[in-house]
Amino acid sequence: MKDLGAETGKAASSEQVTNKQAGTATRPLRQFWAQQLGGVSPVSTLSMMNDWALHLMSAPDKQLELAQQAQAHWTAWWEFVAKGCPDDPQARPIAPQKGDRRFDGPGWEKPPFAALAQGFLLAEDFADQATSEVPGLDLSRDKAMTFLARQMMDALAPSNFLLTNPEVLEKTAQEQGQNLMRGGAQFWEDWAAYHMPQKMGAGQKVPNSQVGTEVAVSTGKVVLRTHLMELIQYAPTTDVVHPEPILLMPAWIMKYYILDLKPENSLVRYLTSQGFTVFMVSWRNPDASDSELGMEDYLEQGPLAALDHICSSLEVSAVHGCGYCLGGTLLSVMAAALARKGDDRLKTVTLLAAQTDFSEAGELNLFIDESQLSTLEDMMAAQGYLDGAQMGSAFAVMRSNNLIWSRMVRSYLMGEPDVPPNDLMAWNADTTRMPARMHADYLRRMYLNNDLAAGRYEVQGHAISLRDVRLPVFAVGTESDHVAPWTSVYKVHGLTHADVTFALTNGGHNAGVISEPGHKRRHFRLHTALDSASALTPEDWLDVAQLREGSWWPAWADWLAAHSSPKGAVPEMPEGLADAPGSYVRMG
């Protein structure tokens, strides 16, 4: 039996080598096409469109409904035009969706541009109807087709073209075409420098000279350095502090200083002013040589290494963990892994716009399937990583009206210079890369398979379960989040055995989190759901949550203080390896 097993093992090994060699032999061609296509799988897109078309063809009732809708739209538009496009909102066949400002200017209220705008909005509404609620079509395909149709319609909007945009025509007449000359020069400059993805993003890259002088200026020391992380300990700003420090862990797709921008909106500075000792994970910007680093490398060289250092250097038994975006997902993985081993060094867990269940993970999830992942993996294998500009372009598509087309109109048709970026916009353009294996791991295990929520995610060869997490949890969702919808973040309630305090704040994925006290027009809802209480749906939670004006930061600080020991002596600052902000944050 032993010899048979050995022979079987040799045969299996030989077969694996043969398959691997075959894959290696064909992969350069796949890599070439994946790079040419920008990592987008045409097979996945065509399959989705074919699935939609076949289901629509087999649904005569839906076809009849659409025909009636088209007739109603055409009749309403023709009546509007026949009346001379009256400047009366009540007379218009359709109103733009909330937040759509493409047709706000006075020029759009007069013919023929009013007719163009109304015709486009009616066509956009028809495209929504045609790709929504198709009988028999899988819900994910239904939503994906609706999203794709909206992107196509956004590109065709009359506001995007010189001859159909009254504001551009007026400016061109006033400046005798100088705006087009400036816009053309800007276009060719962007094209020649291959900066189009950044143009479609937000702002310009932060000069390294600003990091540590204008942003990321909180005083601190780099106290630990691994290949993937620098750990920063910040100097106290109060005479006494709570014994339990806070470990802040941003996502590795972002530079850490979003949590330490200018002094007036720095979360680090706010926490130290409330009597907490604060540590920050600053991730290294990987390159092609790091292509084989995976999620477990990030776990071991990031939060686990940081936790070991903090507990030993400060001689404390517990730490407050706080993770933002992917950093929160990784913190959840660590919390479950520690709970499995009976390690109680985490005092509490705070998740900022971080998902633990990816079953309804927003618009990005609509296009994650095996075909798309395979194409993306081929592209990343060719370069060793996913470039930050490539990731930025994917997020920009989710808000194409604001982040792509309106910017192109302003820059290339209106000839207007870029608006000087504020600190948050500039940080957003300071992009980072992601190792090929780690990103493929993350997309496949989280987005595609949802392993963490299902209890299948493995750490060091053992499956972990979030049900083992019995620590107090504070979770923050934001109302306008396109990356991590608040209803998806809310799912942590049903995954852990924890008392969950949930805060829902206005704003988006970044602006909602960076919501310092004194920020104008801020509000949030807050409610604590006990593990022993009956479950609440997101809708039920909205009914019982308390609405408060202002920033959610003080409520979180109060919650942290309530789960901390009384304040005492301030720990002595170490000499450290370097001054904050360290070297990893400056790596381009």
Side-chain angles (χ1 to χ4, degrees):
M1 291 296 293
K2 182 176 181 180
D3 291 340
L4 178 60
E7 292 300 320
T8 303
K10 289 179 182 179
S13 176
S14 176
E15 182 178 353
Q16 290 171 355
V17 170
T18 301
N19 291 338
K20 185 175 181 180
Q21 288 174 342
T24 304
T26 59
R27 197 163 198 185
L29 184 59
R30 299 205 314 268
Q31 291 174 351
F32 170 78
W33 283 113
Q35 286 184 300
Q36 298 305 306
L37 295 167
V40 176
S41 168
V43 175
S44 179
T45 304
L46 290 173
S47 174
M48 175 185 64
M49 296 177 70
N50 186 58
D51 195 12
W52 163 77
L54 289 173
H55 279 86
L56 184 59
M57 288 171 59
S58 62
D61 52 341
K62 180 69 174 179
Q63 295 176 37
L64 178 60
E65 177 187 328
L66 291 174
Q68 293 171 338
Q69 186 76 26
Q71 179 64 40
H73 280 0
W74 168 254
T75 302
W77 181 81
W78 180 247
E79 290 178 353
F80 175 72
V81 173
K83 293 178 182 178
C85 302
D87 185 10
D88 179 8
Q90 299 300 322
R92 295 171 191 163
I94 190 171
Q97 293 185 2
K98 183 179 180 181
D100 185 354
R101 297 187 172 185
R102 290 173 293 183
F103 310 114
D104 279 358
W108 292 105
E109 298 173 357
K110 304 172 184 177
F113 303 107
L116 285 172
Q118 285 295 299
F120 171 77
L121 290 173
L122 288 168
E124 189 177 53
D125 181 68
F126 178 80
D128 270 354
Q129 297 292 331
T131 54
S132 300
E133 300 180 359
V134 177
L137 186 62
D138 183 84
L139 182 60
S140 62
R141 288 288 179 94
D142 191 297
K143 290 182 177 179
M145 268 305 301
T146 302
F147 178 82
L148 183 61
R150 286 175 183 169
Q151 301 310 307
M152 295 170 65
M153 294 302 296
D154 285 346
L156 298 173
S159 55
N160 296 338
F161 303 98
L162 169 62
L163 297 180
T164 54
N165 188 322
E167 296 169 325
V168 175
L169 288 173
E170 182 181 2
K171 191 174 184 66
T172 302
Q174 290 175 348
E175 298 192 14
Q176 298 181 342
Q178 290 300 311
N179 56 309
L180 299 180
M181 297 290 289
R182 292 193 304 271
Q186 183 64 58
F187 173 81
W188 287 115
E189 179 183 334
D190 291 337
W191 183 269
Y194 298 100
H195 281 170
M196 189 63 71
Q198 290 185 3
K199 193 70 177 179
M200 291 181 175
Q204 301 297 321
K205 189 174 178 66
V206 176
N208 279 338
S209 60
Q210 291 184 19
V211 178
T213 58
E214 296 184 30
V215 294
V217 296
S218 295
T219 304
K221 295 284 187 180
V222 175
V223 294
L224 175 67
R225 182 180 292 123
T226 68
H227 178 72
L228 285 173
M229 172 207 71
E230 286 183 333
L231 182 65
I232 301 171
Q233 179 178 347
Y234 290 98
T237 59
T238 56
D239 295 333
V240 290
V241 297
H242 292 286
E244 297 87 357
I246 300 173
L247 172 62
L248 298 178
M249 187 163 51
W252 49 89
I253 63 170
M254 59 177 70
K255 297 294 180 70
Y256 85 83
Y257 63 88
I258 186 174
L259 301 177
D260 185 30
L261 290 169
K262 293 182 178 179
E264 57 267 23
N265 60 353
S266 166
L267 182 61
V268 168
R269 180 161 296 207
Y270 177 77
L271 289 172
T272 55
S273 73
Q274 300 303 302
F276 292 100
T277 301
V278 178
F279 288 81
M280 175 77 75
V281 168
S282 173
W283 296 106
R284 181 176 182 270
N285 197 4
D287 53 35
S289 65
D290 300 313
S291 63
E292 288 303 311
L293 295 177
M295 287 281 289
E296 198 146 330
D297 296 300
Y298 273 78
L299 176 65
E300 292 174 355
Q301 296 189 40
L304 284 176
L307 186 65
D308 289 342
H309 175 87
I310 294 170
C311 290
S312 62
S313 64
L314 296 189
E315 297 182 348
V316 295
S317 59
V319 174
H320 296 294
C322 173
Y324 182 16
C325 188
L326 305 189
T329 304
L330 191 63
L331 175 62
S332 302
V333 170
M334 182 176 77
L338 292 177
R340 184 183 182 278
K341 298 189 297 184
D343 190 327
D344 59 358
R345 287 180 295 169
L346 276 181
K347 183 79 170 181
T348 64
V349 169
T350 297
L351 305 176
L352 308 180
Q355 300 176 95
T356 49
D357 184 327
F358 291 78
S359 58
E360 299 177 72
E363 292 170 339
L364 184 63
N365 200 35
L366 298 177
F367 297 93
I368 300 297
D369 57 21
E370 190 61 46
S371 176
Q372 177 56 56
L373 277 184
S374 178
T375 303
L376 189 61
E377 286 170 351
D378 288 336
M379 185 187 73
M380 292 191 296
Q383 58 194 30
Y385 54 81
L386 183 68
D387 188 76
Q390 294 166 328
M391 174 61 75
S393 295
F395 287 126
V397 168
M398 297 181 192
R399 299 175 59 200
S400 60
N401 278 340
N402 295 328
L403 298 181
I404 298 180
W405 304 115
S406 64
R407 287 182 174 275
M408 292 182 69
V409 169
R410 288 200 305 270
S411 293
Y412 303 145
L413 297 182
M414 304 291 279
E416 296 176 358
D418 281 333
V419 177
N422 59 29
D423 51 0
L424 190 57
M425 291 170 62
W427 162 85
N428 192 46
D430 193 4
T431 56
T432 60
R433 297 175 291 273
M434 285 180 282
R437 180 184 169 192
M438 182 285 301
H439 193 51
D441 247 8
Y442 176 75
L443 290 178
R444 189 173 297 281
R445 298 171 72 182
M446 298 296 183
Y447 274 90
L448 187 61
N449 298 333
N450 204 19
D451 286 343
L452 182 59
R456 295 188 299 262
Y457 193 92
E458 293 188 357
V459 174
Q460 297 176 344
H462 297 282
I464 60 172
S465 173
L466 292 173
R467 300 296 291 171
D468 293 334
V469 177
R470 291 171 167 81
L471 307 171
V473 172
F474 192 101
V476 178
T478 64
E479 294 174 353
S480 306
D481 200 329
H482 293 267
V483 180
W486 80 266
T487 51
S488 181
V489 176
Y490 183 86
K491 289 178 181 291
V492 70
H493 284 81
L495 296 176
T496 61
H497 271 306
D499 295 339
V500 179
T501 300
F502 192 81
L504 176 61
T505 180
N506 63 327
H509 188 69
N510 297 325
V513 172
I514 308 307
S515 180
E516 69 283 358
H519 197 296
K520 295 180 180 179
R521 296 181 294 277
R522 288 299 183 193
H523 64 259
F524 67 100
R525 290 175 172 81
L526 189 73
H527 179 71
T528 298
L530 300 178
D531 182 45
S532 58
S534 300
L536 295 173
T537 66
E539 294 74 20
D540 293 335
W541 183 91
L542 282 174
D543 290 337
V544 300
Q546 180 186 13
L547 177 63
R548 302 186 185 183
E549 296 299 321
S551 166
W552 60 269
W553 288 11
W556 180 43
D558 291 342
W559 181 87
L560 286 170
H563 291 90
S564 300
S565 303
K567 293 179 180 179
V570 174
E572 185 176 342
M573 279 293 291
E575 183 177 344
L577 305 175
D579 290 333
S583 58
Y584 282 3
V585 73
R586 302 182 189 277
M587 295 176 66

